[in-house]
Structures are given as structure tokens and as C-alpha cells.
Amino acid sequence: MTFTESIKTCLRKYIDFNGRASRPEYWWFVLLSIVLSFIPVIGWLIRLVLLLPSLSVQARRLHDMNRSAWWLLLLVPPITIIGGIILLVMSAFPGTPGPNRYGPDPQQTGMGGYDPEPYGQPYAPPPPLVGGYGEPPYDAGPADIQPDAEGESRQYCTQCGAPLQEGVSFCSECGTRV
């Protein structure tokens, strides 16, 4: 994501606390906020105007790491400085690959959007988690069997398309029971 795409996305989603924001989207907007805050006389006014978009993109960045936006409470006094450092460090880490509970991966297309058919299959959100600890979240039909390059048959997960290992009953990528 380029600088201008990032700024456009953040300003367009200035009160959208839902979804996910990629690292470039977040860091380009932080850079703009810092640079504009050093403008004499009106720097504080610009920071005030960019406060809501900054909180929004920070919440979406936390969502990209599969964390709740409640982490923003670290910015409330008296832990503002320590909390700000913690959030800054957390924002440097990559987000979770693929869809998570907050939405699709923003890295799969530009402008923070999502290509609904990245692998020729329509996007479907992950099913809700059911069952106890250690159980797979859902059941799927039998695995697809397709020949690989050497002509040997290989099983693929029906949910995520990942190759399955011999003798396992769950997909290691998405947890689908095969």
C-alpha cells in the first residue's frame, strides 16, 4: 500500500472501528500525523482533527493482529506513556495471515480491501467455533483427492485447499475434520 492509498483509506474510514488495517496503512498514517503535528501554530489543531482517524486505524491494526480494540484503554491516564509504547511495539508485529474473527486479510488486495475470489473460490467467513478445548471448530465433507505432479493422488482440504498429510484426521491449516 502506498502513502497516498494509506491516507485515503484512513480518512475514508475515519470512524470505522471494524475490520483490519495492514502495517503499511497504519504506519503511513502515523508518519503523516507526526509530520503534520510539527507545523507551527496549527500543529495541535491538526492532531486534534486526526485524533479520531488515528484511534480508528489503531483499532483496526489491533484487529489485524487478532486483538481486541479494548487494548486502546492503555492510552488512558495514568498509563498513557507506557501504554503508548506497548501499542507502538505491538503495531510493529505482522498481522494474522488469512481471515480472522475481525475480517479478511487486508494484505490480499490493495487499499485495505479484500479480493473475494483470491483462489477462484468465493470468500466465506470462518465458521463459529464449537466444541470444547482441542476439538476442531467444524466438520467438512471428505477431502478432495487430486493427482500431484508425479501422478500420485494427494488429498486437499475442502475448506482451505491445503495439502493434507497422510494419516491425519484434521487439516493443520484450518482445523477441518477430514
Side-chain angles (χ1 to χ4, degrees):
M1 176 174 281
T2 66
F3 177 76
T4 55
E5 289 174 339
S6 170
I7 302 309
K8 286 178 184 177
T9 301
C10 290
L11 293 178
R12 188 180 68 236
K13 296 180 177 182
Y14 75 100
I15 56 170
D16 185 8
F17 288 81
N18 298 318
R20 297 167 62 176
S22 62
R23 278 193 291 183
E25 178 182 342
Y26 173 76
W27 287 109
W28 282 125
F29 192 75
V30 167
L31 178 66
L32 174 77
S33 299
I34 291 171
V35 168
L36 291 179
S37 67
F38 286 112
I39 296 176
V41 181
I42 61 168
W44 63 272
L45 182 63
I46 292 172
R47 284 298 291 154
L48 187 61
V49 168
L50 294 178
L51 177 65
L52 196 54
S54 296
L55 289 174
S56 169
V57 74
Q58 179 68 56
R60 291 193 316 269
R61 181 72 195 118
L62 287 167
H63 288 172
D64 189 41
M65 296 178 291
N66 207 16
R67 298 185 189 274
S68 170
W70 285 103
W71 280 86
L72 288 175
L73 290 177
L74 289 173
L75 297 175
V76 176
I79 57 171
T80 304
I81 295 173
I82 295 170
I85 293 170
I86 291 170
L87 287 174
L88 194 66
V89 170
M90 284 173 50
S91 297
F93 289 102
T96 55
N100 67 16
R101 63 183 171 162
Y102 296 104
D105 189 353
Q107 290 290 330
Q108 292 188 351
T109 64
M111 296 288 290
Y114 183 76
D115 181 9
E117 298 182 15
Y119 304 107
Q121 300 174 349
Y123 169 74
L129 295 176
V130 294
Y133 178 76
E135 294 180 22
Y138 53 88
D139 291 334
D144 292 335
I145 300 175
Q146 299 174 355
D148 61 6
E150 289 91 33
E152 298 176 10
S153 64
R154 184 166 190 157
Q155 291 185 341
Y156 292 88
C157 177
T158 57
Q159 292 293 325
C160 68
L164 298 174
Q165 297 175 355
E166 293 276 334
V168 296
S169 59
F170 299 105
C171 174
S172 61
E173 295 292 322
C174 66
T176 303
R177 182 177 294 162
V178 292

